[in-house]
Amino acid sequence: MKRNVLRTSIALALSLAVVGCSLSPVPYEEPEPSAAPAPTSTEKSEQQTVSAVPEPTGSELEVMSDTAEEYAMSPDMYFAPEDYNTEEYASVEESGFVAAATTPLSTISADVDTASYANLRRMLRAGFKLSSAQKRDETNATTIETTGPEDAEVWDEYPGYYADSYQVIPAGAVRIEEMLNYFDYNYERPKTSDAFGMNAKVGPCPWNKDTQLLVLGFATGDEDSSVTEKGSNLVFLIDVSGSMDDADKLPLLQSSFGELVKSLGDKDRVSIVTYASGEEVVLEGAKGSDQQQIMRAIRGLKASGSTHGEAGLKMAYELARKNFIEGGVNRIVMASDGDLNVGMTSESDLHDYVDGQRKTGVYLSVLGFGAGNYKDTKMETLADHGNGSYHYIDCEAEAERVFGERLTANLVPFADDVKMQIEFNPSMVKGYRLIGYENR
């Protein structure tokens, strides 16, 4: 199996062109405001009511409840599914400056995830934007424009009703370290027995003339050939619930899985576990060289049912332990939109479970798919605490890139729980702040 060396950056790119998936790298400009059309009589009526729900007509009257309370509890009867956005992102708070005289050491965990970049590209292609007129919806931990009802209680009750005003990039979706990790900077690898090679550059900060911008890049040495020679035990945990039926989810995974199979050999073992309303072992311990058998199992997957992620996780870890390769690679690769709605669903429970499982030597990497109901918070939690990498797949080109390059590059762990510590000289540096890594 081929593998690239680990490379990661601690910095903020001065400018990032959005590349891949045929999106032109043109800087985003806020559109000129246009005059809103005059409201119709129905819209005027909606603005005057607390419920902000369209007046039912015709056959809708037959199914509408007689009481306002029951009607408010069932708004989905009148809303098209595509008008409701339930994506979830963690809230973030940028770090401030720290005095080097009192706190000269800065310590962070290494990160090789790239999910944020591809996810942001997906949002930009879909017409999402940044806006100065925003309102926080703390329930969904996202940001939305204040063009909906004025009544705050009504807005909180129906955060996804005003679909057009919901197309704003959530602050939690922007993770600078993952945007930097997306690119390959050809960092110089260590020439001695050192574990890492470090590259450092300092230059003027483009948005603050009183500060300098320090960029640190790290690259590992040669991989341990004894690990790759023993082979890989890979368990693919694939979400086949009903929400994965969209073209940018399970079908996208199926069409690009062959890129991964190309890099596998006789010493590698592949298992496939699916989960929806229940879990199922679709394939167990197939040789990596048996491409036809693996692809036949992948192409036969169908999406339906609810999302019992807990059952799937437990089955995948059980299968990984059963086929464990001592001294080799033992990893679960989970593919999902993160919408776990049966069994273990909270981030804290997922954190505790995978954190305990990684002690067995089985790591968990995560591949995110889809839009509208994507749960970034759960997916990042699983990857971070499962000792794995996190990638988001928004198109065919990205799927081929991740399956053919990124995934195999990160399969062999270089080290566990890597942390980096930087010490600033107070006589040279008055203060510093870390850009990105807010939740690491």
Side-chain angles (χ1 to χ4, degrees), residues 160-180:
Y161 173 67
Y162 291 84
D164 292 339
S165 65
Y166 206 83
Q167 306 302 307
V168 178
I169 295 176
V174 182
R175 294 189 288 273
I176 301 300
E177 69 277 14
E178 295 182 21
M179 297 177 72
L180 286 169

Side-chain angles (χ1 to χ4, degrees), residues 72-213:
M73 292 297 291
S74 305
D76 55 313
M77 287 195 301
Y78 307 97
F79 300 162
E82 60 270 20
D83 289 342
Y84 197 78
N85 188 316
T86 61
E87 294 190 22
E88 293 180 1
Y89 299 91
S91 59
V92 296
E93 183 175 347
E94 290 187 355
S95 57
F97 277 89
V98 178
T102 58
T103 313
L105 293 177
S106 176
T107 305
I108 62 166
S109 297
D111 186 6
V112 295
D113 298 346
T114 64
S116 180
Y117 184 92
N119 194 23
L120 287 175
R121 179 175 59 198
R122 182 262 301 181
M123 293 182 186
L124 291 172
R125 294 175 70 221
F128 282 60
K129 62 182 180 179
L130 297 172
S131 173
S132 58
Q134 296 177 341
K135 175 184 177 68
R136 288 293 298 175
D137 172 12
E138 300 299 339
T139 302
N140 280 340
T142 190
T143 307
I144 47 185
E145 285 186 287
T146 55
T147 56
E150 296 296 326
D151 189 293
E153 294 181 359
V154 175
W155 185 274
D156 291 338
E157 184 70 21
Y158 305 108
Y161 173 67
Y162 291 84
D164 292 339
S165 65
Y166 206 83
Q167 306 302 307
V168 178
I169 295 176
V174 182
R175 294 189 288 273
I176 301 300
E177 69 277 14
E178 295 182 21
M179 297 177 72
L180 286 169
N181 285 342
Y182 190 87
F183 300 92
D184 188 349
Y185 304 96
N186 294 318
Y187 290 136
E188 185 176 352
R189 299 166 67 177
K191 297 179 180 179
T192 64
S193 58
D194 293 339
F196 291 92
M198 188 184 76
N199 299 260
K201 291 184 179 180
V202 179
C205 180
W207 62 86
N208 186 348
K209 62 181 180 61
D210 296 324
T211 64
Q212 296 285 303
L213 194 63

Side-chain angles (χ1 to χ4, degrees), residues 2 6 18 71 107 114 118 133 172 179 200 210 213 289 303 327 362 373 383:
K2 296 180 180 179
L6 177 150
V18 183
Y71 179 71
T107 305
T114 64
M179 297 177 72
D210 296 324
L213 194 63
S289 57
V362 177
N373 66 326

Side-chain angles (χ1 to χ4, degrees), residues 30-358:
E30 187 72 21
E32 293 293 330
S34 57
T40 63
S41 58
T42 303
E43 290 173 336
K44 291 179 181 178
S45 174
E46 291 174 359
Q47 294 172 359
Q48 297 169 358
T49 61
V50 176
S51 64
V53 177
E55 192 69 25
T57 58
S59 61
E60 291 179 345
L61 291 172
E62 299 177 6
V63 296
M64 191 184 84
S65 171
D66 293 331
T67 65
E69 290 80 4
E70 290 179 299
Y71 179 71
M73 292 297 291
S74 305
D76 55 313
M77 287 195 301
Y78 307 97
F79 300 162
E82 60 270 20
D83 289 342
Y84 197 78
N85 188 316
T86 61
E87 294 190 22
E88 293 180 1
Y89 299 91
S91 59
V92 296
E93 183 175 347
E94 290 187 355
S95 57
F97 277 89
V98 178
T102 58
T103 313
L105 293 177
S106 176
T107 305
I108 62 166
S109 297
D111 186 6
V112 295
D113 298 346
T114 64
S116 180
Y117 184 92
N119 194 23
L120 287 175
R121 179 175 59 198
R122 182 262 301 181
M123 293 182 186
L124 291 172
R125 294 175 70 221
F128 282 60
K129 62 182 180 179
L130 297 172
S131 173
S132 58
Q134 296 177 341
K135 175 184 177 68
R136 288 293 298 175
D137 172 12
E138 300 299 339
T139 302
N140 280 340
T142 190
T143 307
I144 47 185
E145 285 186 287
T146 55
T147 56
E150 296 296 326
D151 189 293
E153 294 181 359
V154 175
W155 185 274
D156 291 338
E157 184 70 21
Y158 305 108
Y161 173 67
Y162 291 84
D164 292 339
S165 65
Y166 206 83
Q167 306 302 307
V168 178
I169 295 176
V174 182
R175 294 189 288 273
I176 301 300
E177 69 277 14
E178 295 182 21
M179 297 177 72
L180 286 169
N181 285 342
Y182 190 87
F183 300 92
D184 188 349
Y185 304 96
N186 294 318
Y187 290 136
E188 185 176 352
R189 299 166 67 177
K191 297 179 180 179
T192 64
S193 58
D194 293 339
F196 291 92
M198 188 184 76
N199 299 260
K201 291 184 179 180
V202 179
C205 180
W207 62 86
N208 186 348
K209 62 181 180 61
D210 296 324
T211 64
Q212 296 285 303
L213 194 63
L214 169 64
V215 179
L216 296 178
F218 297 88
T220 64
D222 294 332
E223 65 184 27
D224 187 350
S225 59
S226 64
V227 175
T228 54
E229 287 175 358
K230 292 182 178 180
S232 300
N233 163 34
L234 304 178
V235 179
F236 289 90
L237 176 60
I238 301 175
D239 181 354
V240 293
S241 62
S243 65
M244 289 290 289
D245 198 30
D246 296 336
D248 59 350
K249 297 182 182 180
L250 182 59
L252 177 58
L253 179 149
Q254 291 171 309
S255 65
S256 54
F257 203 85
E259 287 297 319
L260 172 69
V261 175
K262 292 178 184 178
S263 66
L264 302 178
D266 284 337
K267 294 182 179 180
D268 301 313
R269 294 293 178 267
V270 175
S271 301
I272 298 174
V273 176
T274 62
Y275 67 94
S277 301
E279 74 284 3
E280 179 184 357
V281 177
V282 177
L283 185 68
E284 180 177 355
K287 286 186 177 181
S289 57
D290 194 347
Q291 298 185 15
Q292 289 187 345
Q293 183 184 11
I294 296 172
M295 293 308 300
R296 188 162 50 245
I298 289 292
R299 295 190 185 107
L301 301 180
K302 304 293 182 182
S304 65
S306 58
T307 316
H308 200 328
E310 176 182 1
L313 272 171
K314 290 182 176 179
M315 178 63 74
Y317 275 110
E318 179 181 329
L319 204 57
R321 290 192 296 269
K322 180 180 178 181
N323 294 284
F324 195 87
I325 298 177
E326 195 67 41
V329 174
N330 297 277
R331 187 176 295 267
I332 297 170
V333 180
M334 180 179 183
S336 173
D337 57 14
D339 193 11
L340 310 177
N341 51 39
V342 178
M344 184 168 43
T345 61
S346 71
E347 290 167 47
S348 60
D349 288 343
L350 292 169
H351 166 286
D352 294 343
Y353 180 73
V354 298
D355 195 59
Q357 291 296 321
R358 71 179 183 178

